[in-house]
């Protein structure tokens, strides 16, 4: 019976048994339900019976699901075991076929050699027979000639003897006697000129013996060939390696060697990574306990009773990367999109990243549907989202071995615009709170040595920029200030001059608060110019509304829902929120909040 038929039959029986058990349990549950649903004399008893039946039905369904899951696991295990048996069966069958072909080839070679030796022996015997017959035939002819001569002499002597003429007798008798004497002098060799036995030397069958002995000697296998790494053939700590062999080789076992490739090791360094070895009979292996996102060099040899094959060509495989780490303080969002940034966390480069997002319900439950953005080439991704939703977003790193595990997720809410402050732009005198939304300007003066400045840091204006998401549309945030704090709030281009005050150049727009002995003065500055406006009620919570499409930047007194001023400008590039303190004090940014209706009227 074929192995496939056996496997299919067994699995079919298992599936039928599982199905019958599930049907029997369902019928039992239905009977219980029908019995429990019969009417009872009292309403109270009916209610309690119904609750009991519902509880029992729930328990039965739970048992059925548990048993079904267990059966499915058993079936999966048996399928895996049957697949392994199939591989072993095919390997044995393949080795048997190769051995059978090897024996048949040797058998044909031996028969051909014996046939050749037989033909050579028959040809030698034929030549010896021919030479013997020729010698015997020559001797036979000589004997015949001697017999003819003696017969002739006898007949001549008889005629002389019978002759009546004495004179003729005397004349012929002497020559006859002389001929007889001469004939008598010639000795006739009556021995055979050749032996009747044939020379039958033993045939040299040493090469045939060698061939017969070699039937039981299997040649050493040739070098195996490692297959290139297949996609999704690795995990973070393991690799699945496959290789192949020429069909006429017989192998008892393979030895797989592997070692990590350390790119930072100098070429002339005496340090070499340790080589590990695995012995197995199959043409595949899963190597475990490896480093994540590491490159490994692998090669394999084949061994049988005769010897070891040459090593295969070395192949490079990679394990799956470590999960990326999302940089939460560098992520921003708005009602229509979110900008997610992360760091790879891997020493070796990865091929791409996959961003996965799942929507969350109002009760915090996660959706079963996962959306994926694949083949992200860099460590950031701008994702289009739906307004007023909550999302759980994670990232995977991908290389040829497969995708990594998910990163720790981040929750994004698209109620309003959300951003953090760009700390690398902050003036050295500014301090930023741990949550990243409050800035402080202290009374103490910093020494010049402590004021580490770089090209991106504000040097003249005690200011900091916010990391607004680069999406054109509507953005809204609020700023909370004290009456006694002088401040500037607004927006500025990313390349605004760091050695200039906000609002004093053409790349920034801001609302400024100035304290004077008589009153609070407010200016709305751009390129050093402000309209003449008077604000009677000092705002302590200021709303900032940016509308790219209409080209407006508006300020509001949130507590009074009062419009303060609007800049009209076609912003050629994306802008960043900007915040500055002109005297010691504090300022708090509130974002991720829904814009009020009056902000974009």
């Amino acid at each position: 019976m074929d192995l496939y038929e056996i496997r299919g039959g067994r699995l079919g029986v298992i599936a039928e048994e599982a199905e019958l058990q599930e049907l029997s349990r369902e019928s039992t549950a239905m009977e219980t339900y029908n019995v429990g649903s019969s009417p009872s004399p009292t309403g109270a008893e009916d209610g309690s019976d119904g609750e009991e039946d519902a509880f029992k039905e729930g328990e039965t369904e739970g048992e059925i699901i548990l048993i079904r899951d267990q059966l499915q696991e058993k079936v999966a295990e048996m399928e895996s075991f049957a697949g392994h048996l199939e591989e072993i069966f095919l390997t044995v069958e393949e080795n048997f076929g190769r051995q059978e072909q090897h024996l048949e080839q040797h058998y044909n070679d031996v028969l051909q050699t014996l046939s050749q030796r037989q033909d050579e022996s028959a040809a030698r015997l034929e030549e010896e027979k021919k030479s013997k017959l020729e010698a015997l035939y020559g001797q036979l002819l000589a004997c015949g000639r001697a017999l003819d001569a003696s017969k002739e002499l006898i007949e001549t002597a008889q005629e002389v003897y019978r002759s009546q003429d004495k004179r003729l007798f005397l004349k012929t008798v002497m020559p006859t006697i002389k001929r007889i004497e001469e004939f008598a002098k010639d000795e006739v060799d009556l021995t055979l000129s050749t032996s009747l036995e044939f020379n039958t030397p033993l045939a040299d069958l040493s090469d045939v013996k060698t061939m017969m002995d070699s039937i039981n000697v299997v040649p050493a296998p040739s070098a195996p060939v490692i297959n290139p790494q297949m996609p999704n053939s690795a995990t973070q700590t393991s690799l699945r390696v496959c290789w192949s062999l020429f069909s006429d080789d017989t192998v008892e076992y393979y030895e797989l060697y592997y070692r990590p490739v350390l790119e930072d090791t100098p070429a002339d360094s005496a340090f070499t990574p340790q080589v590990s070895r695995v012995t197995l009979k199959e043409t595949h292996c899963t190597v475990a306990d490896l480093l994540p996102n590491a490159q490994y060099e692998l090669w394999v040899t084949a061994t049988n009773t005769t010897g070891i094959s040459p090593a295969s060509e070395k192949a490079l495989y990679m394990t799956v990367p470590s999960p990326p780490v999302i940089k939460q303080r560098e992520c921003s969002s708005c009602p229509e999109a979110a900008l997610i940034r992360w760091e790879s966390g891997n020493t070796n480069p990865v091929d791409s990243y996959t961003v996965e997002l799942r929507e969350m319900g109002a009760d915090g439950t996660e959706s079963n549907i996962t959306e994926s953005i694949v083949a992200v080439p860099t460590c950031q991704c701008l994702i289009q989202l739906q307004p007023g939703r909550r999302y759980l977003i994670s990232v995977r790193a991908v290389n040829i071995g497969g995708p990594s595990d998910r990163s720790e997720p981040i929750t994004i809410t698209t109620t309003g615009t959300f951003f953090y402050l760009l700390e690398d732009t902050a003036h050295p005198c500014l301090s930023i709170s741990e949550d990243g939304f409050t800035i402080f300007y202290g009374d103490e003066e910093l020494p010049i040595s402590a004021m580490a400045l770089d090209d991106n840091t504000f040097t003249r204006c005690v200011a900091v920029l916010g990391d607004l998401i680069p999406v054109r549309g509507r953005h809204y945030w609020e700023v909370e200030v004290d009456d006694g704090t002088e401040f500037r709030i607004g927006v500025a281009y990313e390349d605004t001059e760091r050695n200039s005050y906000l609002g004093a150049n053409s790349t920034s727009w801001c609302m400024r608060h100035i304290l004077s002995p008589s009153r609070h003065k407010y200016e709305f500055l751009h390129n050093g110019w402000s309209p003449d406006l008077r604000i009677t009620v000092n705002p302590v919570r200021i709303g900032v509304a940016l509308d790219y499409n209409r080209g407006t930047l508006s300020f509001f007194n949130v507590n009074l829902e009062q419009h303060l001023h609007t800049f009209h400008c076609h912003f050629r590039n994306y802008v960043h929120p900007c915040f500055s303190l002109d005297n010691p004090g504090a300022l708090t940014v509130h974002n991720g909040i829904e814009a009020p209706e009056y902000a974009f009227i």
Side-chain angles (χ1 to χ4, degrees):
M1 183 181 290
D2 198 321
L3 184 61
Y4 298 103
E5 296 177 2
I6 295 172
R7 179 187 176 191
R10 289 181 178 175
L11 294 180
V13 170
I14 293 169
E16 287 177 6
E17 290 179 356
E19 202 173 317
L20 288 173
Q21 290 181 10
E22 188 170 350
L23 289 173
S24 64
R25 283 178 173 78
E26 288 179 357
S27 62
T28 304
M30 290 300 295
E31 289 173 3
T32 305
Y33 176 74
N34 291 333
V35 170
S37 62
S38 59
S40 60
T42 64
E45 289 178 359
D46 289 344
S48 62
D49 289 346
E51 289 178 359
E52 272 185 39
D53 292 341
F55 182 72
K56 289 180 180 178
E57 184 180 357
E59 283 187 347
T60 306
E61 288 180 356
E63 290 178 1
I64 291 173
I65 292 173
L66 180 62
I67 294 172
R68 183 191 64 191
D69 293 341
Q70 291 176 350
L71 286 174
Q72 287 177 348
E73 289 179 2
K74 291 292 183 183
V75 170
E77 289 177 3
M78 294 191 68
E79 283 184 347
S80 177
F81 180 69
H84 183 63
L85 286 180
E86 275 185 32
E87 292 179 356
I88 296 176
F89 175 80
L90 294 175
T91 302
V92 171
E93 190 174 16
E94 184 179 350
N95 288 339
F96 175 77
R98 288 199 295 265
Q99 187 68 15
E100 185 179 24
Q101 185 179 3
H102 179 69
L103 289 173
E104 186 176 355
Q105 181 65 36
H106 274 275
Y107 175 75
N108 293 333
D109 293 343
V110 169
L111 286 182
Q112 184 178 358
T113 303
L114 289 175
S115 177
Q116 184 178 355
R117 294 289 186 275
Q118 182 184 10
D119 293 342
E120 291 175 357
S121 298
R124 284 198 300 270
L125 287 173
E126 188 67 29
E127 290 179 1
E128 188 177 0
K129 169 188 169 184
K130 181 179 179 182
S131 63
K132 286 180 181 293
L133 290 177
E134 288 178 351
L136 290 173
Y137 181 70
Q139 192 175 13
L140 182 62
L141 291 178
C143 289
R145 287 194 295 270
L147 287 175
D148 292 341
S150 62
K151 183 178 180 181
E152 181 186 358
L153 287 175
I154 291 171
E155 289 177 352
T156 303
Q158 286 179 350
E159 288 178 359
V160 171
Y161 176 73
R162 292 191 189 98
S163 176
Q164 297 297 325
D165 189 353
K166 296 186 182 293
R167 205 172 35 162
L168 181 62
F169 176 78
L170 293 174
K171 183 179 177 180
T172 58
V173 70
M174 293 307 295
T176 302
I177 293 172
K178 188 176 180 180
R179 286 180 59 192
I180 292 173
E181 289 176 351
E182 290 179 356
F183 180 77
K185 289 179 182 179
D186 296 333
E187 295 183 0
V188 179
D189 187 5
L190 298 179
T191 60
L192 294 176
S193 60
T194 182
S195 173
L196 298 180
E197 299 294 330
F198 282 86
N199 183 21
T200 55
L202 295 176
D204 183 12
L205 299 178
S206 59
D207 54 347
V208 176
K209 184 176 183 303
T210 302
M211 294 174 65
M212 293 294 293
D213 293 339
S214 67
I215 290 179
N216 296 323
V217 177
V218 179
S222 55
V225 179
I226 290 189
N227 300 339
Q229 185 175 12
M230 298 295 293
N232 302 319
S233 61
T235 67
Q236 198 169 329
T237 58
S238 67
L239 290 170
R240 180 171 176 81
V241 188
C242 300
W243 58 88
S244 56
L245 198 68
F246 290 106
S247 59
D248 56 348
D249 286 337
T250 300
V251 177
E252 289 195 2
Y253 62 89
Y254 299 93
E255 288 182 315
L256 176 67
Y257 300 85
Y258 60 94
R259 65 184 176 193
V261 178
L262 303 179
E263 296 182 354
D264 297 335
T265 304
D268 56 351
S269 174
F271 174 76
T272 54
Q274 181 181 0
V275 177
S276 302
R277 182 181 66 180
V278 180
T279 302
L280 61 159
K281 293 183 177 296
E282 296 82 10
T283 57
H284 57 85
C285 176
T286 299
V287 185
D289 299 328
L290 304 178
L291 300 173
N293 195 39
Q295 199 171 41
Y296 282 84
E297 192 176 43
L298 303 102
W299 63 96
V300 66
T301 61
T303 304
N304 60 18
T305 55
T306 303
I308 304 175
S309 74
S312 66
E313 293 288 334
K314 291 181 173 63
L316 293 178
Y317 277 54
M318 285 197 70
T319 53
V320 165
S322 300
V325 178
I326 295 179
K327 297 188 284 188
Q328 187 167 357
R329 295 291 285 264
E330 297 184 21
C331 296
S332 55
S333 63
C334 67
E336 294 83 19
L339 178 62
I340 308 299
R341 293 189 177 99
W342 61 87
E343 57 185 13
S344 172
N346 297 281
T347 55
N348 290 321
V350 300
D351 295 341
S352 64
Y353 297 92
T354 298
V355 180
E356 298 180 349
L357 58 148
R358 299 186 300 280
E359 191 172 340
M360 299 179 64
D363 56 352
T365 57
E366 298 179 19
S367 171
N368 294 328
I369 301 175
T370 300
E371 299 182 45
S372 299
I373 303 171
V374 299
V376 179
T378 60
C379 289
Q380 68 176 32
C381 180
L382 185 64
I383 311 169
Q384 300 298 321
L385 302 175
Q386 296 295 324
R389 308 287 179 87
R390 290 181 66 201
Y391 295 90
L392 204 63
I393 298 178
S394 56
V395 183
R396 297 178 188 264
V398 182
N399 64 10
I400 189 172
S404 70
D405 294 337
R406 288 191 181 99
S407 67
E408 288 295 326
I410 181 176
T411 302
I412 295 294
T413 302
T414 58
T415 304
T417 296
F418 180 86
F419 60 87
Y420 284 95
L421 300 178
L422 293 171
E423 297 185 17
D424 60 332
T425 65
H427 189 280
C429 291
L430 277 183
S431 300
I432 300 177
S433 63
E434 187 176 351
D435 64 3
F437 298 112
T438 302
I439 61 175
F440 304 93
Y441 182 12
D443 294 330
E444 66 278 1
E445 293 186 3
L446 293 176
I448 297 177
S449 59
M451 298 180 66
L453 303 175
D454 57 35
D455 295 339
N456 202 33
T457 302
F458 283 98
T459 58
R460 189 172 183 182
C461 184
V462 184
V464 65
L465 295 181
D467 187 19
L468 187 64
I469 185 170
V471 173
R472 291 189 176 273
R474 292 177 174 181
H475 303 280
Y476 179 81
W477 61 94
E478 295 177 357
V479 181
E480 187 176 351
V481 293
D482 295 330
D483 281 345
T485 303
E486 293 185 342
F487 60 84
R488 299 172 191 245
I489 59 174
V491 298
Y493 287 133
E494 184 178 8
D495 59 353
T496 190
E497 298 177 16
R498 298 299 195 259
N499 61 350
S500 174
Y501 286 101
L502 296 176
N505 49 51
S506 62
T507 57
S508 59
W509 298 257
C510 74
M511 172 184 176
R512 180 187 181 189
H513 175 224
I514 306 170
L515 286 174
S516 66
S518 60
R519 66 184 179 92
H520 294 266
K521 182 179 180 182
Y522 293 91
E523 295 178 340
F524 295 90
L525 294 168
H526 173 62
N527 208 14
W529 180 86
S530 171
D532 186 14
L533 295 175
R534 288 183 178 270
I535 298 177
T536 56
V537 179
N538 300 329
V540 293
R541 192 174 179 107
I542 302 166
V544 183
L546 171 65
D547 191 336
Y548 277 105
N549 298 328
R550 295 169 59 183
T552 59
L553 175 68
S554 301
F555 297 88
F556 301 89
N557 185 334
V558 175
N559 294 335
L560 300 179
E561 299 184 4
Q562 178 187 14
H563 174 256
L564 301 177
H565 180 68
T566 296
F567 288 102
H568 294 273
C569 176
H570 176 68
F571 300 104
R572 67 180 188 276
N573 296 320
Y574 292 111
V575 294
H576 291 272
C578 58
F579 311 92
S580 171
L581 294 174
D582 291 340
N583 69 339
L587 176 152
T588 301
V589 180
H590 298 275
N591 58 23
I593 55 180
E594 187 176 2
E597 294 182 0
Y598 59 80
F600 295 103
I601 295 177

